[in-house]
Amino acid sequence: MLIREATPEDWPAIWPFFQGIVTAGETFTYPLELCEDDARGWWLVPAPSRAVVAVDDAGTVLGTAKMNRNHMGNGSHIASASYMVDPQYAGRGVGRALCEYTVEWARATGYRAMQFNAVVETNIHAVRLYRSLGFEVIGTLPEGFKHPTEGYVGLHIMHKAL
C-alpha cells in the first residue's frame, strides 16, 4: 500500500465511498445530503492542509485522509485529521496506515498534539484504532450525535500529544 498526495483525478474514486459513508449517517457529522461539489471542497483541502489517498499496487484508491490544523490563531499548534476507508477494503489495515501517516505528518510539521473533535462513541473500530495509537478520550459530549439506529450517542474528543 502506498500513501500519496490526493489529486483532483482521485476524486471520482473517492466520491462513491465518501458519499456512502456520509449518507449512512453513522460516523461523520457532515450533512447527510452533502452534494459532491461541497464534499470535494471540504475534503481536497488546500495547503497547508493536506489530503492523501492510500492506493494498492494497481493504483486502486482504498481510503483517504485529510489533515489540517484543529483551530486557527493561538490554537493552531494542534493538528486534526479525518479518515474514510472504502468499506470493501475495511479490516485490511488501511485505516491504521492512514492514521499513522497523519500522526507522522503532524509531528514532522511541528504540531504539538493531535485532536479529533467528534469521534462517534459507537464507532468502536475507530475508537479502538485511535486508542491503540496512543489517543485518549479526554471528554465526551453526551448525546452529541444522532445515530440513525442507536439514537442519541456521545461524541468523543480524542487527543494525542506529539
Side-chain angles (χ1 to χ4, degrees):
M1 175 182 346
L2 169 70
I3 297 177
R4 62 164 173 76
E5 200 77 25
T7 68
E9 291 74 30
D10 293 316
W11 185 251
I14 296 169
W15 173 240
F17 67 86
F18 184 107
Q19 183 183 33
I21 290 167
V22 170
T23 59
E26 297 176 352
T27 56
F28 276 80
T29 60
Y30 292 170
L32 301 181
E33 68 285 348
L34 183 63
C35 74
E36 184 175 2
D37 286 340
D38 288 342
R40 183 187 309 109
W42 288 7
W43 201 262
L44 298 181
V45 290
S49 300
R50 291 184 63 208
V52 295
V53 289
V55 297
D56 65 12
D57 292 340
T60 303
V61 174
L62 310 173
T64 183
K66 73 167 183 158
M67 302 156 276
N68 50 276
R69 58 178 59 106
N70 195 42
H71 296 288
M72 298 185 302
N74 289 346
S76 64
H77 57 284
I78 308 298
S80 192
S82 299
Y83 314 94
M84 289 196 188
V85 174
D86 187 328
Q88 67 181 321
Y89 302 111
R92 300 184 190 182
V94 177
R96 175 172 294 277
L98 286 166
C99 193
E100 289 173 344
Y101 182 95
T102 63
V103 169
E104 288 308 312
W105 167 84
R107 186 176 286 123
T109 305
Y111 288 99
R112 295 180 50 86
M114 189 166 232
Q115 177 180 316
F116 304 142
N117 299 324
V119 181
V120 179
E121 69 181 354
T122 55
N123 189 354
I124 58 172
H125 299 293
V127 173
R128 185 180 313 128
L129 169 62
Y130 303 154
R131 285 182 191 264
S132 77
L133 295 173
F135 286 83
E136 297 178 37
V137 174
I138 59 171
T140 302
L141 175 62
E143 297 188 350
F145 186 83
K146 186 177 179 186
H147 193 280
T149 59
E150 303 294 322
Y152 290 98
V153 300
L155 280 177
H156 292 320
I157 300 167
M158 300 190 76
H159 175 269
K160 175 183 176 68
L162 300 175

